Amino acid sequence: MSAFEQLHKQEFKAGEFIFFQGDVERHFYIIESGTVKICTMDRSGKEVEISTINEGESFGEFAMLDNAPRSASAKCATDVVVVRVSEDGFQELLNDLPVWANCMLKAFVGRLKKMMDDQKDQQA
């Protein structure tokens, strides 16, 4: 089965959650259209936005890479169409599309830097 056979399109409405913090899943998503907010809950139960993911970007890869439960929730800011990629599909994409893999890793680094900068700003 090719990586492209392991892709599944899904649609969500604004306000719906794609996954929740703590979920154990072995796939990630690429946004075909729409915007998704990645968020956690603070100690008081208030939603804290970590980042916004837009069309053409991916999210949910961290849980696959570290084999751990989801570290945050994904909530649709708008109506969203995503492509869900299985763990096997992810591995095949990494092997078959090295340019994509390189772009994805750069996006990870950018997201991590932004999260660190945001935390520094909140502490100041």
Side-chain angles (χ1 to χ4, degrees):
M1 187 181 299
S2 78
F4 298 105
E5 293 174 288
Q6 298 180 49
L7 306 177
H8 302 280
K9 192 177 287 194
Q10 294 180 293
E11 297 181 14
F12 297 90
K13 297 290 183 192
E16 286 186 308
F17 283 87
I18 297 172
F19 57 76
F20 293 95
Q21 184 174 347
D23 285 352
V24 178
E25 300 176 330
R26 303 297 295 156
H27 50 265
F28 78 102
Y29 300 87
I30 300 169
I31 299 178
E32 187 174 289
S33 64
T35 301
V36 174
K37 294 189 312 183
I38 306 300
C39 54
T40 59
M41 295 290 185
D42 67 13
R43 290 185 177 146
S44 67
K46 181 182 174 191
E47 187 177 287
V48 177
E49 186 176 329
I50 296 171
S51 65
T52 301
I53 312 298
N54 297 300
E55 186 175 314
E57 297 179 315
S58 61
F59 63 96
E61 308 92 341
F62 288 177
M64 284 191 349
L65 294 172
D66 68 3
N67 201 22
R70 299 279 186 198
S71 58
S73 298
K75 184 178 183 180
C76 299
T78 65
D79 288 353
V80 173
V81 177
V82 295
V83 176
R84 187 176 111 180
V85 183
S86 70
E87 182 179 15
D88 290 339
F90 177 72
Q91 291 302 322
E92 286 189 38
L93 285 170
L94 288 177
N95 293 333
D96 296 345
L97 302 172
V99 172
W100 174 82
N102 186 41
C103 290
M104 188 184 65
L105 290 173
K106 286 180 181 179
F108 284 166
V109 170
R111 256 190 256 164
L112 287 172
K113 285 181 179 179
K114 182 184 181 315
M115 286 188 307
M116 290 170 47
D117 289 344
D118 289 348
Q119 284 182 343
K120 287 178 189 175
D121 290 345
Q122 291 174 359
Q123 293 173 354

